[in-house]
Amino acid sequence: MVDQETKTPTDADAGAGDPSGHPTDLSDHLEERLRDALQEGAADTVRALVEPLNAADVADLLEHLATDDRRAFLDVLGEDLDADVLPELDEEVLADVVDHLEVEQIAAAVVEMDSDDAITVLEDLDEADKREILEAIPDADRIAIEQGLAYPENTAGRLMQREVVTVPTYYTVGETIDFLRQNAERDVSYLPDQFYDIYVVDPQFRPLGAVSLSRLLRSKRPVRVTDIMDTNLKRILVSTDREEVAFIFRQRDLVSASVIDQGGRLVGVIHIDDVVDVIEEEHEEDIMRMGGLAEADLYSGFLKTTKARFSWLLINLGTAIAASLVIGLFEGTIQQMVALAVLMPIVASMGGNAGTQTLTVAVRALATKELTSTNAMRVIGKEILVGTANGALFAVIAGVVAWLWFQSAGIGVVIALAMVVNLVVAGLAGSAIPVVLDKLKIDPAVASGVFLTTVTDVVGFFAFLGLAAWMLI
Amino acid sequence: MVDQETKTPTDADAGAGDPSGHPTDLSDHLEERLRDALQEGAADTVRALVEPLNAADVADLLEHLATDDRRAFLDVLGEDLDADVLPELDEEVLADVVDHLEVEQIAAAVVEMDSDDAITVLEDLDEADKREILEAIPDADRIAIEQGLAYPENTAGRLMQREVVTVPTYYTVGETIDFLRQNAERDVSYLPDQFYDIYVVDPQFRPLGAVSLSRLLRSKRPVRVTDIMDTNLKRILVSTDREEVAFIFRQRDLVSASVIDQGGRLVGVIHIDDVVDVIEEEHEEDIMRMGGLAEADLYSGFLKTTKARFSWLLINLGTAIAASLVIGLFEGTIQQMVALAVLMPIVASMGGNAGTQTLTVAVRALATKELTSTNAMRVIGKEILVGTANGALFAVIAGVVAWLWFQSAGIGVVIALAMVVNLVVAGLAGSAIPVVLDKLKIDPAVASGVFLTTVTDVVGFFAFLGLAAWMLI
């Protein structure tokens, strides 16, 4: 510790001072050395490598290792495994770690955690594991955790920390500080480790206002807390969806918010660092949905991954067959002019990509509540215009390419017209589909893409082959 | 204010108490009423509607309104426009607002803001507007802002707040609290409004440790700050990329971090609420890149939007033509069996979608540093296996469909084999392309998709038509 105090900030610990630019990145070098040490059974080397790391780094190592190495690593760490590692783990890896460790060790780790971390760990486990661990936990702790788990998943109740600092209305700044100092001496467990606000509550335990610590510290001892409290308090109902909680935090730049039950009583507080995790998870979910996945499956096993991806691919097979049916209508036309078969994927593909651009903007704007019924018609109108303009540009380019390639002005005109039609439709469908799905209370992020591709494929093939059948044959 | 204090949490203000479930959502009703009032020129109605809203809500309204209504709205608000609205605006809307307002009004608003907010507003403006506003700002404020703007864009220097609370090593808890109380009385501008940590610095102003306010409050007055400070301090170099800053905050669950210059001196502090904005912007960027867009363009004009999307579509045209060239090789085969033209998009489309699933997981895992060279081969191996398994399943389904549709077992076998080939290639390409691009220091999020689609289209058409030419004709 003395060494750390006098450490100058140009040390490796200074973070960005590291020339690699990735100071907190676990160097691959370390991972390789750890893996080698594990495979050689060199327990002392493993312990020496892990010693300087923090919990998040150890969690990353556990995630990156292959299953066998991970278990060997756990065996070496034994009782030294830091409890804080568990809440940092990916769900799949956590399940494996829990299966490998003794129930008593996990129960002991859970007891050590803050209530929100304990819930994070337990809620991801399967029912049997969860039961077994809860039964190994002392009654008082177990009841607190079970109360937290009783709130529905993805609600404010699961996110919040139950340890809150509250004072009655008649307290002064001085009494509040004394109260905190006395409790610190007695090391009471119902006070949180870290907090940023003190809540002033009425006798029914309803929050009347909050005093930020920086405000409290700058006020004189005789000042009443009610005189310096911020009454413009954000009260979040315990049943609020966590996505909505994240939206409120972002919109109001909050650092913490009080959580109340149906009766208006203060039951907990949500801190921004918990919200950051929600934002990250929602982000992950958005990205995965766009890529046609239910969830990230980097750490999932082969079978589970195959199964999860199958259903999306099956839906995609349906839309691909729909497109093929359209092509099938024009078998005779293609027979007479094979050049059409060569060129037809171009129109469909351009429509799909232009539509996806529009769709991406629209789905995102709906999620951030920037696209509302007030501006929906304006946005759709703009997208149709953009589709027309890019349609005209690519009509010229594709038309000239097709003309030169097949030495036929007619085929150039057909692909040009089909391109305009499909890009206008792509702009309309890409913006209107998510808006309509949102109105129908269907999540546009999940369903829009399938509808869009079906539309741009069907229209693309139909416009191109239909125009060709009509104009060229 | 008295009213607010006694307000029960079941009021509309209580947030989630609102039955709509979107308490902070601006109701469309409000937007419509505002628009009507603006168009009727009913200034008093407009002011009455806006009065209860906070800055973020007003910013949302400005964003949602059409340009004419927005300007009318600004004219009605006049000097009453809250300075805090500006940093909340989208870049495009901000530029329009700045063009419409008087330079003096903007300069006055910028002076009122904290240094980090002032920089947020100014950095997004074009050079001429920025100059004009800076010249209208008093010297002392201008120099501080210019120093902030001197740090390269997207670095810790731009994110940080320059106002930091520091104390020397010989201070006690009591002296620190007295120091804060005295400065609060004198209302000095170099102290931040809100802060969470106090930094202990040496005579060279290098940070030695931090004391969180909750720790400070629980300690007795005679205790030395050096005895309670946390020396395991995260020091971020002022030139660190902001994406790296966000990664450090997430990895370590930080609420604030100190920023140092090359000499190790404390120059500012970054708070988690600024990092949340970075996370949001990076998220937006990720989503847009996946959708083939450089940036979100909801508020961009028609011409700018068309131009921005054109380049991505042009690249896509290139890959579509590459796929067509492959089809062109088999014109003779298609001539003899038109059913091939009908079925060929199915194989290419399934490969594209399966590859995108893999790609999404891989690109995301690279961004979160979960995919490293330690586990890259294992991940690629798993993806090939998943591709083989789903390839086999869809080979059976597509094979049977094709067989029944065209009454030809041969065509069923060809599509089945092509499906397996393309889904295995999709798994390999979807995981290996991002890893290789990352090694080559090319952003995998931007470039992977194009490469992947080219591979799955070319392989899909080549495998299907090639096998057909070889086996059926």
Side-chain angles (χ1 to χ4, degrees):
Chain A
M1 287 307 268
V2 174
D3 182 52
Q4 268 184 314
E5 274 182 40
T6 54
K7 193 179 264 182
T8 69
T10 38
D11 287 355
D13 183 66
D18 181 351
S20 81
H22 288 300
T24 54
D25 195 5
L26 290 175
S27 76
D28 294 339
H29 200 52
L30 168 66
E31 295 194 6
E32 271 156 38
R33 275 156 61 201
L34 179 70
R35 202 171 41 180
D36 292 346
L38 286 169
Q39 283 163 5
E40 288 161 15
D44 287 342
T45 315
V46 171
R47 277 191 217 101
L49 284 171
V50 173
E51 209 270 304
L53 301 180
N54 66 19
D57 292 337
V58 175
D60 283 351
L61 283 175
L62 281 167
E63 288 176 348
H64 296 179
L65 289 170
T67 311
D68 289 346
D69 290 339
R70 183 189 301 148
R71 291 176 182 172
F73 187 32
L74 289 171
D75 291 339
V76 171
L77 287 177
E79 300 288 322
D80 292 341
L81 179 68
D82 185 351
D84 292 335
V85 170
L86 298 181
E88 304 282 337
L89 288 173
D90 170 86
E91 196 176 323
E92 300 278 337
V93 178
L94 176 65
D96 185 54
V97 168
V98 166
D99 281 346
H100 191 66
L101 293 178
E102 298 293 326
V103 171
E104 289 68 31
Q105 189 179 351
I106 301 164
V110 168
V111 171
E112 258 183 60
M113 298 173 194
D114 266 345
S115 59
D116 51 342
D117 281 340
I119 288 168
T120 305
V121 168
L122 288 170
E123 72 181 356
D124 284 346
L125 296 178
D126 62 41
E127 221 31 66
D129 284 344
K130 198 194 296 180
R131 269 293 113 225
E132 211 182 353
I133 293 168
L134 279 172
E135 277 164 21
I137 291 178
D139 279 2
D141 291 300
R142 195 189 63 238
I143 291 165
I145 294 171
E146 281 176 338
Q147 281 176 347
L149 286 169
Y151 293 111
E153 224 178 326
N154 299 330
T155 60
R158 286 276 182 104
L159 271 185
M160 73 187 186
Q161 200 176 337
R162 304 162 68 86
E163 299 88 359
V164 192
V165 184
T166 56
V167 293
T169 48
Y170 54 81
Y171 258 42
T172 62
V173 168
E175 284 169 322
T176 306
I177 295 179
D178 293 342
F179 164 74
L180 289 170
R181 285 196 186 133
Q182 280 155 21
N183 282 305
E185 274 169 29
R186 285 186 286 143
D187 192 24
V188 288
S189 73
Y190 58 83
L191 279 191
D193 249 18
Q194 276 282 350
F195 53 96
Y196 313 103
D197 295 284
I198 285 168
Y199 290 92
V200 181
V201 292
D202 71 7
Q204 283 76 46
F205 221 71
R206 287 181 303 208
L208 300 175
V211 181
S212 74
L213 296 191
S214 49
R215 186 83 193 266
L216 187 73
L217 274 170
R218 282 185 290 193
S219 305
K220 291 193 175 291
R221 287 184 61 94
V223 173
R224 291 270 294 262
V225 285
T226 45
D227 292 334
I228 53 168
M229 72 181 179
D230 177 11
T231 55
N232 190 5
L233 196 62
K234 190 70 210 166
R235 299 173 184 88
I236 293 175
L237 201 66
V238 74
S239 57
T240 309
D241 187 85
R242 62 179 206 157
E243 208 165 335
E244 183 61 31
V245 172
F247 181 80
I248 295 169
F249 265 78
R250 278 190 305 241
Q251 185 77 354
R252 318 233 159 194
D253 285 332
L254 299 178
V255 171
S256 67
S258 58
V259 181
I260 53 167
D261 65 12
Q262 292 288 351
R265 282 177 299 271
L266 184 69
V267 289
V269 62
I270 297 179
H271 288 166
I272 191 166
D273 48 322
D274 302 313
V275 175
V276 169
D277 293 340
V278 173
I279 293 175
E280 281 297 303
E281 284 171 44
E282 300 291 339
H283 179 180
E284 181 107 346
E285 207 178 281
D286 287 350
I287 299 251
M288 293 307 140
R289 282 176 184 170
M290 278 188 71
L293 293 151
E295 54 179 15
D297 53 18
L298 187 73
Y299 303 118
S300 300
F302 152 71
L303 266 183
K304 190 176 166 191
T305 307
T306 303
K307 215 168 124 186
R309 296 195 190 168
F310 177 84
S311 32
W312 175 255
L313 291 175
L314 190 64
I315 295 172
N316 177 62
L317 183 65
T319 82
I321 290 175
S324 289
L325 286 171
V326 174
I327 302 173
L329 298 175
F330 298 96
E331 267 189 76
T333 315
I334 294 171
Q335 181 91 58
Q336 289 175 58
M337 193 181 266
V338 183
L340 297 177
V342 176
L343 292 174
M344 67 186 184
I346 295 178
V347 179
S349 154
M350 292 297 286
N353 278 275
T356 302
Q357 290 180 330
T358 303
L359 189 80
T360 305
V361 174
V363 168
R364 173 78 185 146
L366 283 167
T368 57
K369 302 183 187 173
E370 293 181 285
L371 180 53
T372 62
S373 47
T374 314
N375 58 0
M377 288 315 295
R378 211 163 60 239
V379 169
I380 295 173
K382 181 185 122 181
E383 291 298 338
I384 294 176
L385 266 182
V386 172
T388 312
N390 268 328
L393 291 169
F394 283 103
V396 174
I397 300 173
V400 170
V401 169
W403 177 17
L404 295 178
W405 187 350
F406 292 98
Q407 296 294 317
S408 151
I411 213 164
V413 170
V414 166
I415 198 171
L417 290 175
M419 190 70 85
V420 175
V421 170
N422 208 21
L423 261 60
V424 171
V425 168
L428 170 63
S431 51
I433 288 173
V435 170
V436 171
L437 288 177
D438 191 56
K439 279 263 169 241
L440 301 175
K441 309 270 173 222
I442 300 170
D443 183 353
V446 175
S448 297
V450 190
F451 285 104
L452 175 74
T453 333
T454 311
V455 170
T456 54
D457 275 1
V458 165
V459 171
F461 289 128
F462 195 87
F464 180 64
L465 297 173
L467 283 167
W470 178 51
M471 292 173 66
L472 301 180
I473 289 165
Chain B
M1 288 304 270
V2 174
D3 182 54
Q4 270 183 314
E5 274 182 42
T6 55
K7 194 177 264 182
T8 68
T10 39
D11 288 354
D13 182 65
D18 180 351
S20 80
H22 288 298
T24 55
D25 197 2
L26 292 173
S27 77
D28 294 338
H29 199 51
L30 169 66
E31 294 193 6
E32 270 156 39
R33 276 156 61 200
L34 178 71
R35 203 171 40 178
D36 292 346
L38 286 170
Q39 282 163 6
E40 287 161 14
D44 286 343
T45 315
V46 172
R47 277 191 219 100
L49 284 171
V50 173
E51 212 270 338
L53 302 179
N54 66 18
D57 292 337
V58 175
D60 282 352
L61 283 176
L62 281 167
E63 289 176 347
H64 296 178
L65 289 170
T67 311
D68 288 347
D69 290 339
R70 183 189 301 148
R71 290 176 184 174
F73 187 32
L74 288 172
D75 291 339
V76 171
L77 288 177
E79 300 288 322
D80 293 341
L81 179 68
D82 185 351
D84 292 335
V85 170
L86 299 181
E88 303 282 337
L89 289 173
D90 169 86
E91 196 176 325
E92 300 277 337
V93 178
L94 176 65
D96 185 55
V97 168
V98 166
D99 281 344
H100 191 67
L101 293 178
E102 298 292 326
V103 172
E104 289 70 30
Q105 190 179 350
I106 301 164
V110 168
V111 171
E112 259 183 59
M113 299 172 193
D114 267 345
S115 58
D116 52 341
D117 281 339
I119 288 168
T120 305
V121 168
L122 288 170
E123 71 181 355
D124 283 347
L125 296 178
D126 62 41
E127 220 33 66
D129 284 345
K130 198 194 296 179
R131 269 292 115 223
E132 210 181 353
I133 293 166
L134 279 172
E135 276 162 24
I137 292 179
D139 278 3
D141 291 300
R142 195 189 64 237
I143 291 166
I145 294 172
E146 282 176 338
Q147 281 176 349
L149 286 170
Y151 293 112
E153 225 178 323
N154 300 331
T155 60
R158 286 275 183 104
L159 272 184
M160 72 187 186
Q161 201 177 336
R162 304 163 68 85
E163 300 88 359
V164 192
V165 184
T166 56
V167 292
T169 47
Y170 53 83
Y171 258 42
T172 61
V173 168
E175 285 169 320
T176 306
I177 294 179
D178 293 342
F179 162 76
L180 289 170
R181 286 198 185 131
Q182 281 155 20
N183 281 305
E185 275 169 27
R186 286 185 284 146
D187 192 24
V188 288
S189 73
Y190 59 83
L191 279 192
D193 251 17
Q194 276 281 352
F195 53 96
Y196 313 103
D197 295 286
I198 286 170
Y199 290 92
V200 182
V201 292
D202 71 7
Q204 283 77 46
F205 220 72
R206 288 181 301 208
L208 299 176
V211 182
S212 74
L213 297 191
S214 48
R215 186 82 193 265
L216 187 74
L217 273 169
R218 281 185 290 194
S219 305
K220 293 194 173 291
R221 285 183 64 92
V223 172
R224 291 270 295 261
V225 285
T226 45
D227 291 334
I228 54 169
M229 72 182 180
D230 177 10
T231 55
N232 190 4
L233 196 61
K234 190 69 208 166
R235 299 172 184 91
I236 293 176
L237 201 66
V238 75
S239 57
T240 309
D241 187 85
R242 63 180 206 156
E243 208 165 334
E244 183 61 33
V245 172
F247 181 80
I248 295 169
F249 266 77
R250 279 190 304 242
Q251 185 76 353
R252 318 234 157 193
D253 285 332
L254 299 178
V255 171
S256 67
S258 59
V259 182
I260 53 167
D261 64 14
Q262 291 289 352
R265 282 177 299 269
L266 184 68
V267 289
V269 60
I270 297 179
H271 288 167
I272 192 167
D273 47 324
D274 303 312
V275 176
V276 169
D277 293 339
V278 173
I279 293 175
E280 280 297 303
E281 285 172 42
E282 300 290 340
H283 179 180
E284 181 107 349
E285 209 179 279
D286 287 351
I287 300 252
M288 293 307 141
R289 281 176 186 171
M290 278 188 72
L293 294 152
E295 53 178 15
D297 53 18
L298 187 73
Y299 303 118
S300 300
F302 153 68
L303 266 182
K304 191 175 167 192
T305 307
T306 305
K307 215 168 123 187
R309 297 197 191 166
F310 177 84
S311 30
W312 175 256
L313 291 175
L314 190 64
I315 295 171
N316 177 62
L317 182 65
T319 80
I321 289 177
S324 289
L325 286 171
V326 173
I327 303 173
L329 298 176
F330 298 95
E331 266 188 77
T333 317
I334 294 171
Q335 183 91 56
Q336 289 175 59
M337 192 180 270
V338 183
L340 297 177
V342 176
L343 292 174
M344 68 184 183
I346 295 177
V347 179
S349 155
M350 292 297 285
N353 278 276
T356 302
Q357 291 180 328
T358 302
L359 190 80
T360 305
V361 174
V363 168
R364 173 78 184 146
L366 283 167
T368 56
K369 303 183 187 171
E370 293 179 283
L371 180 53
T372 62
S373 47
T374 314
N375 58 359
M377 289 313 297
R378 210 163 59 239
V379 169
I380 294 173
K382 180 186 121 181
E383 291 299 338
I384 294 176
L385 266 183
V386 172
T388 312
N390 268 328
L393 292 169
F394 284 103
V396 174
I397 302 173
V400 170
V401 169
W403 176 19
L404 296 177
W405 188 351
F406 293 98
Q407 297 293 317
S408 150
I411 213 163
V413 170
V414 167
I415 200 170
L417 290 176
M419 191 71 85
V420 176
V421 170
N422 209 21
L423 262 58
V424 172
V425 169
L428 171 63
S431 51
I433 288 173
V435 169
V436 171
L437 288 177
D438 191 57
K439 280 262 170 241
L440 300 175
K441 308 271 173 221
I442 300 169
D443 183 353
V446 174
S448 297
V450 190
F451 284 104
L452 175 73
T453 334
T454 312
V455 169
T456 53
D457 275 2
V458 165
V459 170
F461 289 128
F462 194 87
F464 179 64
L465 296 174
L467 284 167
W470 177 53
M471 292 173 65
L472 301 181
I473 289 165

Short mmCIF file of all heavy atoms in Angstrom, two decimals, chain A residues 6 20 35 63 71 77 79 83 89 102 107 110 128 158 170 204 219 230 237 243 251 268 295 328 361 370 384 447:
data_model
loop_
_atom_site.label_atom_id
_atom_site.label_comp_id
_atom_site.label_asym_id
_atom_site.label_seq_id
_atom_site.Cartn_x
_atom_site.Cartn_y
_atom_site.Cartn_z
N THR A 6 2.94 6.18 -3.18
CA THR A 6 3.99 7.02 -3.72
C THR A 6 4.20 6.79 -5.22
O THR A 6 5.01 7.43 -5.84
CB THR A 6 5.32 6.74 -3.00
OG1 THR A 6 5.56 5.33 -3.11
CG2 THR A 6 5.25 7.13 -1.55
N SER A 20 0.52 0.85 -25.48
CA SER A 20 -0.38 0.03 -26.30
C SER A 20 -1.72 0.72 -26.51
O SER A 20 -2.45 0.40 -27.42
CB SER A 20 -0.63 -1.33 -25.65
OG SER A 20 -1.63 -1.21 -24.65
N ARG A 35 -2.64 -19.89 -19.48
CA ARG A 35 -3.06 -21.16 -20.06
C ARG A 35 -1.95 -22.20 -19.97
O ARG A 35 -2.16 -23.35 -19.61
CB ARG A 35 -3.47 -20.94 -21.52
CG ARG A 35 -4.39 -21.98 -22.06
CD ARG A 35 -4.91 -21.57 -23.41
NE ARG A 35 -3.84 -20.96 -24.21
CZ ARG A 35 -4.00 -20.50 -25.45
NH1 ARG A 35 -5.17 -20.58 -26.03
NH2 ARG A 35 -3.01 -19.97 -26.11
N GLU A 63 -13.81 -16.15 -18.64
CA GLU A 63 -14.61 -16.20 -19.85
C GLU A 63 -13.81 -16.66 -21.06
O GLU A 63 -14.29 -17.40 -21.91
CB GLU A 63 -15.24 -14.83 -20.12
CG GLU A 63 -16.35 -14.49 -19.14
CD GLU A 63 -16.91 -13.09 -19.32
OE1 GLU A 63 -16.31 -12.28 -20.05
OE2 GLU A 63 -17.96 -12.80 -18.72
N ARG A 71 -11.90 -24.78 -15.48
CA ARG A 71 -12.11 -25.57 -14.26
C ARG A 71 -10.81 -25.76 -13.50
O ARG A 71 -10.77 -25.68 -12.28
CB ARG A 71 -12.76 -26.90 -14.63
CG ARG A 71 -14.18 -26.64 -15.09
CD ARG A 71 -14.90 -27.86 -15.56
NE ARG A 71 -16.24 -27.46 -16.02
CZ ARG A 71 -17.08 -28.26 -16.63
NH1 ARG A 71 -16.76 -29.52 -16.85
NH2 ARG A 71 -18.26 -27.82 -17.01
N LEU A 77 -7.51 -21.55 -7.82
CA LEU A 77 -7.93 -20.40 -7.01
C LEU A 77 -8.56 -20.85 -5.70
O LEU A 77 -8.31 -20.28 -4.65
CB LEU A 77 -8.93 -19.54 -7.78
CG LEU A 77 -8.35 -18.73 -8.94
CD1 LEU A 77 -9.46 -17.98 -9.66
CD2 LEU A 77 -7.29 -17.75 -8.44
N GLU A 79 -10.50 -21.29 -2.51
CA GLU A 79 -11.17 -20.34 -1.63
C GLU A 79 -10.76 -18.89 -1.90
O GLU A 79 -11.39 -17.95 -1.42
CB GLU A 79 -10.86 -20.67 -0.15
CG GLU A 79 -11.32 -22.06 0.28
CD GLU A 79 -12.83 -22.17 0.42
OE1 GLU A 79 -13.46 -21.20 0.87
OE2 GLU A 79 -13.38 -23.23 0.04
N ALA A 83 -15.27 -12.93 -4.32
CA ALA A 83 -16.73 -12.98 -4.52
C ALA A 83 -17.18 -12.02 -5.63
O ALA A 83 -18.14 -12.29 -6.35
CB ALA A 83 -17.45 -12.63 -3.22
N LEU A 89 -19.51 -12.12 -14.44
CA LEU A 89 -19.43 -13.19 -15.44
C LEU A 89 -20.62 -13.21 -16.39
O LEU A 89 -21.75 -12.91 -16.00
CB LEU A 89 -19.33 -14.55 -14.75
CG LEU A 89 -18.00 -14.88 -14.06
CD1 LEU A 89 -18.14 -16.19 -13.29
CD2 LEU A 89 -16.86 -14.96 -15.06
N GLU A 102 -18.17 -25.66 -5.04
CA GLU A 102 -19.01 -26.19 -3.97
C GLU A 102 -20.13 -25.21 -3.66
O GLU A 102 -19.92 -23.99 -3.68
CB GLU A 102 -18.18 -26.36 -2.68
CG GLU A 102 -17.03 -27.34 -2.80
CD GLU A 102 -17.51 -28.78 -2.99
OE1 GLU A 102 -18.56 -29.12 -2.41
OE2 GLU A 102 -16.85 -29.54 -3.71
N ALA A 107 -22.47 -19.88 -1.76
CA ALA A 107 -23.35 -19.27 -0.77
C ALA A 107 -22.57 -18.25 0.05
O ALA A 107 -23.06 -17.14 0.29
CB ALA A 107 -23.93 -20.34 0.14
N VAL A 110 -22.08 -15.14 -2.06
CA VAL A 110 -23.32 -14.37 -2.22
C VAL A 110 -23.61 -13.54 -0.98
O VAL A 110 -24.03 -12.38 -1.07
CB VAL A 110 -24.49 -15.31 -2.57
CG1 VAL A 110 -25.82 -14.58 -2.46
CG2 VAL A 110 -24.32 -15.88 -3.97
N ALA A 128 -32.90 -25.04 -10.04
CA ALA A 128 -32.35 -26.01 -9.09
C ALA A 128 -31.11 -25.44 -8.40
O ALA A 128 -30.99 -25.49 -7.16
CB ALA A 128 -32.00 -27.30 -9.83
N ARG A 158 -35.58 -5.18 -9.25
CA ARG A 158 -34.40 -6.04 -9.36
C ARG A 158 -33.10 -5.23 -9.42
O ARG A 158 -32.05 -5.71 -9.05
CB ARG A 158 -34.50 -6.89 -10.62
CG ARG A 158 -35.50 -8.02 -10.55
CD ARG A 158 -34.90 -9.24 -9.89
NE ARG A 158 -35.85 -10.33 -9.88
CZ ARG A 158 -35.80 -11.38 -10.70
NH1 ARG A 158 -34.82 -11.49 -11.58
NH2 ARG A 158 -36.71 -12.33 -10.64
N TYR A 170 -36.83 16.47 10.64
CA TYR A 170 -36.37 17.42 11.67
C TYR A 170 -34.86 17.41 11.83
O TYR A 170 -34.32 18.13 12.65
CB TYR A 170 -37.08 17.16 13.00
CG TYR A 170 -36.96 15.71 13.47
CD1 TYR A 170 -35.81 15.26 14.12
CD2 TYR A 170 -38.00 14.81 13.26
CE1 TYR A 170 -35.69 13.95 14.54
CE2 TYR A 170 -37.90 13.50 13.67
CZ TYR A 170 -36.75 13.07 14.30
OH TYR A 170 -36.63 11.78 14.70
N GLN A 204 -44.30 8.15 7.20
CA GLN A 204 -44.76 6.98 6.44
C GLN A 204 -43.66 6.45 5.52
O GLN A 204 -43.92 5.62 4.66
CB GLN A 204 -45.99 7.34 5.59
CG GLN A 204 -47.28 7.42 6.38
CD GLN A 204 -47.35 8.72 7.17
OE1 GLN A 204 -47.06 9.79 6.65
NE2 GLN A 204 -47.69 8.61 8.44
N SER A 219 -22.82 22.67 3.55
CA SER A 219 -23.77 23.41 4.38
C SER A 219 -23.31 23.40 5.83
O SER A 219 -22.63 22.47 6.27
CB SER A 219 -25.16 22.78 4.26
OG SER A 219 -25.53 22.71 2.90
N ASP A 230 -33.39 18.72 -2.35
CA ASP A 230 -33.94 18.93 -3.68
C ASP A 230 -35.27 18.19 -3.73
O ASP A 230 -35.31 16.96 -3.64
CB ASP A 230 -32.96 18.38 -4.72
CG ASP A 230 -33.50 18.51 -6.13
OD1 ASP A 230 -34.52 19.20 -6.31
OD2 ASP A 230 -32.89 17.92 -7.04
N LEU A 237 -41.30 3.94 -9.79
CA LEU A 237 -42.12 2.88 -9.19
C LEU A 237 -41.36 1.55 -9.30
O LEU A 237 -40.71 1.27 -10.31
CB LEU A 237 -43.46 2.80 -9.92
CG LEU A 237 -44.60 2.14 -9.17
CD1 LEU A 237 -44.98 2.97 -7.95
CD2 LEU A 237 -45.81 1.98 -10.08
N GLU A 243 -35.77 -0.87 -18.90
CA GLU A 243 -35.44 -0.08 -20.08
C GLU A 243 -35.96 1.35 -19.90
O GLU A 243 -35.31 2.31 -20.28
CB GLU A 243 -36.10 -0.73 -21.31
CG GLU A 243 -35.37 -0.47 -22.57
CD GLU A 243 -35.82 -1.41 -23.70
OE1 GLU A 243 -36.31 -2.52 -23.41
OE2 GLU A 243 -35.68 -1.02 -24.85
N GLN A 251 -32.36 10.73 -19.91
CA GLN A 251 -33.11 11.94 -20.25
C GLN A 251 -32.84 13.03 -19.21
O GLN A 251 -32.74 14.20 -19.55
CB GLN A 251 -34.60 11.60 -20.30
CG GLN A 251 -35.50 12.73 -20.75
CD GLN A 251 -35.44 12.93 -22.26
OE1 GLN A 251 -34.64 12.31 -22.95
NE2 GLN A 251 -36.27 13.82 -22.76
N GLY A 268 -35.92 1.59 -2.07
CA GLY A 268 -34.53 1.39 -2.53
C GLY A 268 -34.07 2.55 -3.36
O GLY A 268 -34.79 3.55 -3.50
N GLU A 295 -29.91 -13.65 -28.72
CA GLU A 295 -28.98 -13.12 -27.72
C GLU A 295 -27.56 -13.47 -28.13
O GLU A 295 -27.35 -14.33 -28.99
CB GLU A 295 -29.29 -13.71 -26.34
CG GLU A 295 -29.30 -15.23 -26.34
CD GLU A 295 -29.58 -15.82 -24.97
OE1 GLU A 295 -30.03 -15.10 -24.09
OE2 GLU A 295 -29.31 -17.02 -24.81
N GLY A 328 -40.43 -17.70 -60.14
CA GLY A 328 -41.08 -18.81 -60.82
C GLY A 328 -42.17 -18.37 -61.79
O GLY A 328 -42.42 -19.02 -62.81
N VAL A 361 -32.27 3.59 -39.24
CA VAL A 361 -32.52 4.91 -38.67
C VAL A 361 -33.89 4.94 -37.98
O VAL A 361 -34.02 5.44 -36.86
CB VAL A 361 -32.45 6.00 -39.77
CG1 VAL A 361 -32.86 7.35 -39.21
CG2 VAL A 361 -31.06 6.06 -40.35
N GLU A 370 -37.35 9.44 -30.62
CA GLU A 370 -37.15 10.61 -31.47
C GLU A 370 -38.11 10.59 -32.65
O GLU A 370 -38.34 11.60 -33.28
CB GLU A 370 -35.72 10.65 -31.99
CG GLU A 370 -34.70 10.90 -30.90
CD GLU A 370 -33.31 10.95 -31.46
OE1 GLU A 370 -32.77 9.87 -31.79
OE2 GLU A 370 -32.77 12.05 -31.58
N ILE A 384 -38.89 8.54 -48.79
CA ILE A 384 -39.34 8.27 -50.17
C ILE A 384 -38.55 9.15 -51.14
O ILE A 384 -38.10 8.69 -52.20
CB ILE A 384 -40.86 8.51 -50.28
CG1 ILE A 384 -41.61 7.48 -49.44
CG2 ILE A 384 -41.31 8.45 -51.74
CD1 ILE A 384 -43.11 7.67 -49.39
N ALA A 447 -39.03 -7.54 -35.67
CA ALA A 447 -39.81 -8.02 -36.80
C ALA A 447 -39.61 -7.25 -38.11
O ALA A 447 -39.87 -7.78 -39.19
CB ALA A 447 -41.30 -8.01 -36.43
#
